[in-house]
Amino acid sequence: MDISLDAVRGSGHGDGGVEHGELLVRLVEAMAGTGEHVLSDVRDEVESAMGREALVDAVGVSALFHLMNRVANGTGTPLDRAMAGLAPSVTDQFGANEYLSSQDTPR
Amino acid sequence: MNTSLYDTELPIRSEIISTQSAALEHWASPGTWLTAVERTAAVEEVRRARDADELPPWIAPSTVEGLIPDDHPLPSAAIDMVWRVTNHLTTLTLEWYQDLVPSALEAGEYVELIGLISQVNLVDHFADGLSLPRPRLRQPIDGEPTRITPAAAAVSTHWVPTAPIVDDSWQPVDHSEGTGLSAARGVPNVRRALSLVPPERVMQWVLIDAHYVPGGALGGDFAESVWSLQRPQIELIGARTSAINECFY
């Protein structure tokens, strides 16, 4: 499995080595109201390519991260120690070190 | 498929239906620091914030004439916090938190509100994402907040006080052999984030287990499928959502 983080940067950056990755990124962006995607159009594409169960589960996962992100950013949650050592090489790739929430993890 | 929560033909898993239904019941129940009326008002405020014309983050909605009803059950600080966390998640800082707590809100109230705001954002992003009507709120249930603070709660790793937790559901599978990572990583920081208000922490993880991957599978094999998705697809969805919300964690 050859997975890259390019797709995390947004649509137009490929599928990241993930099956239907580019389509799923567009679904996430349409749900969040970013980009110029029309939610109903992207949903139709996901359903056609992956099925209705996958559409519902994909929407559920993104919705769940809207919860997780609010818990983490709203409580000043630092990265776990086991991840902190790996983080710089990963976060550099999509600019996460510029996030205000990166200040919650001691460097 | 017709359900009590969503009237739709979409194949929504029973785990999603049952845990979101539990969340609705939870929101309408007396909390730890807030009454059920206050909790329900916070939920309604999340919805009002999401549907409103966007305000810049430096404008407090409580200062906008005619936006917030005069008889709102929540104090202005709580209303402004709900809007900020809902609509301007990328702008939260320790300084912003310290301007609120403890001068305008108790830490317990703040953590309880974070729990509620987060849960409502999950349920409503799910409904909106599928263009389904958002679940209707329940009537607030009578009763007093418990006002129970966990033993040994203190500010340590997070902005907010956290407490040691015993979490039997956190049993990650050890796939760390040969990776240089330790399997004995302990409970993740995000799992402790709401530990000052245990009912909110528990509700958070009930929802996570149903919508993402069960806690015990978090460290599981990346090649496995969960529900109808491949694990890399799940992680990409989560990572892109977190990038949009500028969540470093």
Side-chain angles (χ1 to χ4, degrees), chain A residues 88-99:
Chain A
S89 61
V90 174
T91 53
D92 275 351
Q93 294 180 45
F94 52 96
N97 295 317
E98 304 303 315
Y99 301 168

Side-chain angles (χ1 to χ4, degrees), chain B residues 55-84:
Chain B
L55 288 174
W58 56 87
I59 294 190
S62 64
T63 66
V64 177
E65 194 171 339
L67 186 59
I68 306 298
D70 290 340
D71 59 350
H72 201 290
L74 292 173
S76 295
I79 294 168
D80 295 342
M81 175 200 162
V82 168
W83 281 64
R84 184 73 173 258

